[in-house]
């Protein structure tokens, strides 16, 4: 998976299902994607937190090449988080950890370091202990499914669990996985409801929303949304695989 900014709980549920989680830190950067931003719950609903980055003249850059335009961006983000979550029950328990996570690399220079640092902090707070490795350290070539299958092979994997949002192109490239004798399945996740401030429940916020509101129970609540994975045949039987997911935050 590409390292995204303050990922949603489905990201960590996928991580929790596997023996090894490869961070595609050298994937192509896509502006205004989850790589660069995510959402928190506010009185007005979901609000974006977006990282300011350099874009002009850098078309086609890889995720691990993206530089941050305002290295102290996190101070504004933390203020926004504090404003909207300080009344949540477990805010005092986790806010200091989030603060230290941001302070650790400040002033931040690269987007990838922010994302990986936050993912590394959030995972154990959600009781997820799956080992993480950066794809850039594996020296595996190829594009699209060819590279995914090769990464699985170099890690000795017999199976690959994919987010359902990638189903359309993976099914087109199914031969790559079969050639490497890798079983392909797709994550099936229904976002569980949990306590929130400010009125009706809004799903698909960053995982910090679950953590601040539910604390030590967050990992168990996260796992309650997990369903048996979709098989290739089940996804093929659906006209539009992307309709099998509730949200594109994958």
């Amino acid at each position: 998976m590409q390292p995204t900014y303050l990922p949603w709980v489905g990201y960590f549920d996928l991580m929790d299902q596997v023996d090894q989680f490869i961070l595609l830190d050298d994937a192509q950067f896509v502006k205004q994607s989850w790589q660069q931003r995510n959402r928190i719950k506010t009185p007005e609903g979901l609000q974006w937190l977006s990282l300011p980055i350099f874009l002009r003249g850098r078309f086609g850059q890889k995720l691990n090449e993206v530089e941050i335009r305002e290295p102290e961006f996190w101070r504004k983000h933390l203020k926004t988080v504090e404003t909207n979550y300080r009344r949540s029950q477990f805010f005092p328990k986790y806010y200091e950890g989030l603060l230290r996570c941001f302070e650790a690399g400040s002033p931040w220079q690269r987007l990838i370091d922010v994302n990986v640092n936050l993912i590394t902090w959030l995972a154990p707070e959600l009781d997820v202990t799956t080992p993480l490795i950066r794809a850039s350290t594996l020296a595996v070539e190829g594009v699209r499914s060819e590279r995914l299958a090769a990464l699985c092979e170099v890690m000795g994997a017999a199976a690959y669990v994919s987010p359902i949002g990638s189903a359309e192109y993976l099914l087109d490239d199914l031969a790559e996985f079969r050639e490497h004798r890798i079983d392909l399945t797709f994550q099936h996740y229904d976002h569980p409801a949990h306590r929130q401030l400010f009125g009706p429940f809004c799903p698909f916020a960053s995982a910090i929303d679950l953590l601040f509101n539910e604390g030590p129970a967050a990992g168990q609540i996260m796992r309650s949304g997990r369903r048996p994975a979709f098989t290739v045949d089940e996804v093929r039987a659906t006209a539009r695989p992307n309709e099998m997911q509730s949200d594109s935050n994958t």
Side-chain angles (χ1 to χ4, degrees), residues 5-47:
Y5 183 58
L6 289 172
W8 74 306
V9 292
Y11 189 101
F12 294 99
D13 175 76
L14 181 62
M15 185 186 298
D16 190 51
Q17 295 182 50
V18 299
D19 302 302
Q20 183 79 51
F21 195 82
I22 300 177
L23 295 164
L24 295 174
D25 61 323
D26 51 4
Q28 184 172 346
F29 173 72
V30 180
K31 66 179 181 179
Q32 297 301 310
S33 69
W34 303 110
Q35 297 170 344
Q36 179 190 355
R37 61 182 186 169
N38 222 305
R39 300 171 296 192
I40 62 170
K41 176 74 181 298
T42 76
E44 289 73 41
L46 297 179
Q47 174 182 325

Side-chain angles (χ1 to χ4, degrees), residues 92-120:
K93 180 177 177 64
Y94 297 102
Y95 178 75
E96 288 300 318
L98 180 61
L99 170 62
R100 289 193 298 270
C101 191
F102 276 121
E103 287 180 331
S106 184
W108 293 96
Q109 303 300 321
R110 296 194 305 164
L111 172 63
I112 189 66
D113 295 328
V114 176
N115 290 356
V116 172
N117 208 44
L118 288 168
I119 289 168
T120 303

Side-chain angles (χ1 to χ4, degrees), residues 27 58 78 104 109 112 171 225 230 238:
R58 304 190 186 197
L78 270 184
Q109 303 300 321
I112 189 66
L171 291 181
F230 292 117
T238 303

Side-chain angles (χ1 to χ4, degrees), residues 119-137:
I119 289 168
T120 303
W121 170 70
L122 274 166
E125 298 294 357
L126 294 166
D127 299 323
V128 178
T129 59
T130 305
L132 307 178
I133 187 169
R134 298 195 188 197
S136 60
T137 67

